[in-house]
PDB file of all heavy atoms in Angstrom:
ATOM      1  N   TRP T 253       7.461  18.977 -35.881  1.00 98.00           N
ATOM      2  CA  TRP T 253       7.162  17.874 -36.800  1.00 98.00           C
ATOM      3  C   TRP T 253       7.439  16.553 -36.104  1.00 98.00           C
ATOM      4  O   TRP T 253       8.032  16.505 -35.024  1.00 98.00           O
ATOM      5  CB  TRP T 253       8.033  18.000 -38.060  1.00 98.00           C
ATOM      6  CG  TRP T 253       9.502  17.782 -37.787  1.00 98.00           C
ATOM      7  CD1 TRP T 253      10.203  16.615 -37.836  1.00 98.00           C
ATOM      8  CD2 TRP T 253      10.442  18.786 -37.357  1.00 98.00           C
ATOM      9  NE1 TRP T 253      11.513  16.816 -37.469  1.00 98.00           N
ATOM     10  CE2 TRP T 253      11.684  18.142 -37.185  1.00 98.00           C
ATOM     11  CE3 TRP T 253      10.358  20.162 -37.115  1.00 98.00           C
ATOM     12  CZ2 TRP T 253      12.833  18.826 -36.764  1.00 98.00           C
ATOM     13  CZ3 TRP T 253      11.498  20.839 -36.706  1.00 98.00           C
ATOM     14  CH2 TRP T 253      12.712  20.167 -36.537  1.00 98.00           C
ATOM     15  N   PHE T 254       7.012  15.464 -36.715  1.00 98.00           N
ATOM     16  CA  PHE T 254       7.334  14.118 -36.238  1.00 98.00           C
ATOM     17  C   PHE T 254       8.262  13.403 -37.215  1.00 98.00           C
ATOM     18  O   PHE T 254       9.327  12.945 -36.848  1.00 98.00           O
ATOM     19  CB  PHE T 254       6.059  13.287 -36.026  1.00 98.00           C
ATOM     20  CG  PHE T 254       5.338  13.589 -34.754  1.00 98.00           C
ATOM     21  CD1 PHE T 254       4.202  14.369 -34.763  1.00 98.00           C
ATOM     22  CD2 PHE T 254       5.797  13.099 -33.542  1.00 98.00           C
ATOM     23  CE1 PHE T 254       3.523  14.657 -33.594  1.00 98.00           C
ATOM     24  CE2 PHE T 254       5.140  13.371 -32.356  1.00 98.00           C
ATOM     25  CZ  PHE T 254       3.997  14.159 -32.386  1.00 98.00           C
ATOM     26  N   ASP T 255       7.850  13.286 -38.456  1.00 96.00           N
ATOM     27  CA  ASP T 255       8.612  12.540 -39.453  1.00 96.00           C
ATOM     28  C   ASP T 255       9.851  13.320 -39.879  1.00 96.00           C
ATOM     29  O   ASP T 255       9.792  14.535 -40.117  1.00 96.00           O
ATOM     30  CB  ASP T 255       7.729  12.264 -40.670  1.00 96.00           C
ATOM     31  CG  ASP T 255       8.435  11.429 -41.706  1.00 96.00           C
ATOM     32  OD1 ASP T 255       8.577  10.221 -41.479  1.00 96.00           O
ATOM     33  OD2 ASP T 255       8.839  11.996 -42.742  1.00 96.00           O
ATOM     34  N   ALA T 256      10.984  12.650 -39.985  1.00 95.00           N
ATOM     35  CA  ALA T 256      12.239  13.321 -40.330  1.00 95.00           C
ATOM     36  C   ALA T 256      12.150  14.022 -41.678  1.00 95.00           C
ATOM     37  O   ALA T 256      12.662  15.138 -41.851  1.00 95.00           O
ATOM     38  CB  ALA T 256      13.387  12.314 -40.327  1.00 95.00           C
ATOM     39  N   ALA T 257      11.486  13.389 -42.658  1.00 96.00           N
ATOM     40  CA  ALA T 257      11.342  14.014 -43.977  1.00 96.00           C
ATOM     41  C   ALA T 257      10.517  15.295 -43.897  1.00 96.00           C
ATOM     42  O   ALA T 257      10.790  16.270 -44.613  1.00 96.00           O
ATOM     43  CB  ALA T 257      10.697  13.028 -44.951  1.00 96.00           C
ATOM     44  N   ALA T 258       9.519  15.308 -43.032  1.00 97.00           N
ATOM     45  CA  ALA T 258       8.730  16.523 -42.841  1.00 97.00           C
ATOM     46  C   ALA T 258       9.581  17.634 -42.248  1.00 97.00           C
ATOM     47  O   ALA T 258       9.480  18.800 -42.638  1.00 97.00           O
ATOM     48  CB  ALA T 258       7.532  16.234 -41.937  1.00 97.00           C
ATOM     49  N   GLY T 259      10.450  17.270 -41.307  1.00 97.00           N
ATOM     50  CA  GLY T 259      11.357  18.259 -40.729  1.00 97.00           C
ATOM     51  C   GLY T 259      12.283  18.853 -41.772  1.00 97.00           C
ATOM     52  O   GLY T 259      12.545  20.069 -41.785  1.00 97.00           O
ATOM     53  N   ASP T 260      12.805  18.004 -42.651  1.00 98.00           N
ATOM     54  CA  ASP T 260      13.683  18.498 -43.722  1.00 98.00           C
ATOM     55  C   ASP T 260      12.921  19.427 -44.676  1.00 98.00           C
ATOM     56  O   ASP T 260      13.451  20.462 -45.093  1.00 98.00           O
ATOM     57  CB  ASP T 260      14.249  17.319 -44.514  1.00 98.00           C
ATOM     58  CG  ASP T 260      15.210  16.471 -43.694  1.00 98.00           C
ATOM     59  OD1 ASP T 260      15.720  16.966 -42.664  1.00 98.00           O
ATOM     60  OD2 ASP T 260      15.435  15.313 -44.080  1.00 98.00           O
ATOM     61  N   MET T 261      11.691  19.055 -45.008  1.00 98.00           N
ATOM     62  CA  MET T 261      10.899  19.863 -45.923  1.00 98.00           C
ATOM     63  C   MET T 261      10.583  21.233 -45.313  1.00 98.00           C
ATOM     64  O   MET T 261      10.666  22.266 -45.996  1.00 98.00           O
ATOM     65  CB  MET T 261       9.599  19.142 -46.280  1.00 98.00           C
ATOM     66  CG  MET T 261       8.660  19.944 -47.181  1.00 98.00           C
ATOM     67  SD  MET T 261       9.408  20.379 -48.771  1.00 98.00           S
ATOM     68  CE  MET T 261       9.331  18.774 -49.594  1.00 98.00           C
ATOM     69  N   ARG T 287      17.831  23.129 -35.041  1.00 96.00           N
ATOM     70  CA  ARG T 287      17.032  21.991 -34.585  1.00 96.00           C
ATOM     71  C   ARG T 287      17.404  21.699 -33.133  1.00 96.00           C
ATOM     72  O   ARG T 287      18.570  21.465 -32.824  1.00 96.00           O
ATOM     73  CB  ARG T 287      17.280  20.773 -35.462  1.00 96.00           C
ATOM     74  CG  ARG T 287      16.884  21.004 -36.915  1.00 96.00           C
ATOM     75  CD  ARG T 287      16.753  19.707 -37.669  1.00 96.00           C
ATOM     76  NE  ARG T 287      16.544  19.945 -39.092  1.00 96.00           N
ATOM     77  CZ  ARG T 287      15.993  19.062 -39.916  1.00 96.00           C
ATOM     78  NH1 ARG T 287      15.609  17.887 -39.463  1.00 96.00           N
ATOM     79  NH2 ARG T 287      15.837  19.346 -41.198  1.00 96.00           N
TER      80      ARG T 287
END
Side-chain angles (χ1 to χ4, degrees):
W253 67 91
F254 281 102
D255 183 75
D260 293 341
M261 177 60 75
R287 298 197 187 202

